[in-house]
Amino acid sequence: LTSDEWRGTAEDSNILDWGQFLRERARWKAEGRSGSKTSALVAARGRFNLVANFVLSEIVLTHPAERPALVGKFIRIAWKCYTFNNFATLVAIIAGLHTDWVQKAMHKSWHRVNVYNVRMLKDLAQFVDSNDDFVHMRNAVDAMADWKPAGPPSVSEDVASNKGSTTKSKAGSEPKPQKPPACVPFLGIYLSQLHRFGQLPDLIDPTAPNEAVGVDAETGNFNAPAAPGGVRDTRAAAARDRSSSH
């Protein structure tokens, strides 16, 4: 993510055979070759596409009478992924269920899907929504990253919990260590932000934010600010322009 490898194309992650891809990737690494096949991001994208394509292909190739039951199974699998914090597989399954192929195949069969499963699908789709750089999943991951174990119980709480218990051993009274939460993140959370940041200019002139900053071809230095008088004058002029427009 800190390199330019995230700027891959859709063709790089268009993997049809996962086993063949892994064999070619291992061979490229053994030969010391670099390229899209050795990129971890390409492998993650390819795995995501395979799962999404598996979901849609299984539904489309299933007999129409059995499609509603199969869709319900995929929704429950997606819910399991949510409970296990496996966000990568969760998004892939929801993406497969929302493809045009599945929507056409299930056009006249959605009413046969269990109402509880349909509600679950709507809630999961809202959780993995891409608006604001996947804000819901990003907040969930941030909460896990900021997790801190609860402190040991106080003396009064310990005495109260052990009051009347004379047979409990000391080892049994000790609290079990808390495990920190973990997840399988969806890399699209970070790729969407990198894509948005990548569209910003490398350098912004504070005196003229809407003008590109030039570079001297001989010295390689950036050109001087457009308004050497300072940012204050430019802000004052912008304020006057806004007031006059109103």
Side-chain angles (χ1 to χ4, degrees), residues 27-246:
R27 178 168 55 84
W28 277 43
K29 286 187 175 181
E31 296 175 355
R33 301 164 62 182
S34 61
S36 60
K37 292 184 181 297
T38 59
S39 172
L41 287 177
V42 170
R45 284 169 165 170
R47 188 67 180 178
F48 176 90
N49 293 337
L50 279 175
V51 175
N53 291 331
F54 169 76
V55 172
L56 75 90
S57 62
E58 285 295 309
I59 295 174
V60 172
L61 297 177
T62 299
H63 191 276
E66 300 176 356
R67 285 173 184 168
L70 181 60
V71 169
K73 289 183 179 180
F74 276 124
I75 294 174
R76 291 192 294 273
I77 293 174
W79 178 258
K80 278 293 184 181
C81 293
Y82 172 77
T83 58
F84 292 151
N85 294 330
N86 187 351
F87 299 148
T89 307
L90 168 63
V91 180
I93 295 177
I94 299 300
L97 292 173
H98 283 168
T99 55
D100 294 337
W101 286 90
V102 173
Q103 296 302 319
K104 292 178 181 178
M106 292 289 297
H107 178 64
K108 298 181 180 180
S109 303
W110 278 110
H111 68 281
R112 297 176 52 197
V113 181
N114 185 281
V115 177
Y116 178 76
N117 290 334
V118 174
R119 174 63 185 274
M120 191 186 302
L121 177 60
K122 292 181 179 179
D123 292 342
L124 293 176
Q126 184 177 4
F127 177 74
V128 303
D129 188 78
S130 61
N131 290 333
D132 195 13
D133 298 329
F134 302 92
V135 59
H136 300 299
M137 279 194 296
R138 184 156 43 83
N139 291 339
V141 175
D142 292 343
M144 296 179 193
D146 297 336
W147 178 86
K148 295 181 180 179
S154 60
V155 177
S156 58
E157 293 177 351
D158 192 25
V159 171
S161 62
N162 295 329
K163 186 177 181 180
S165 177
T166 58
T167 59
K168 182 181 293 187
S169 63
K170 182 179 180 181
S173 63
E174 294 181 356
K176 296 181 179 180
Q178 298 178 349
K179 295 182 179 180
C183 75
V184 180
F186 173 57
L187 291 180
I189 298 175
Y190 313 103
L191 294 177
S192 62
Q193 298 180 61
L194 289 175
H195 177 72
R196 179 165 52 86
F197 296 155
Q199 296 177 339
L200 299 175
D202 296 332
L203 182 64
I204 298 176
D205 186 351
T207 64
N210 296 326
E211 297 182 9
V213 178
V215 179
D216 191 338
E218 296 182 358
T219 62
N221 297 327
F222 292 106
N223 294 338
V231 182
R232 183 179 302 175
D233 297 339
T234 306
R235 290 177 178 174
R240 288 194 299 269
D241 293 340
R242 288 195 299 268
S243 60
S244 61
S245 63
H246 293 306

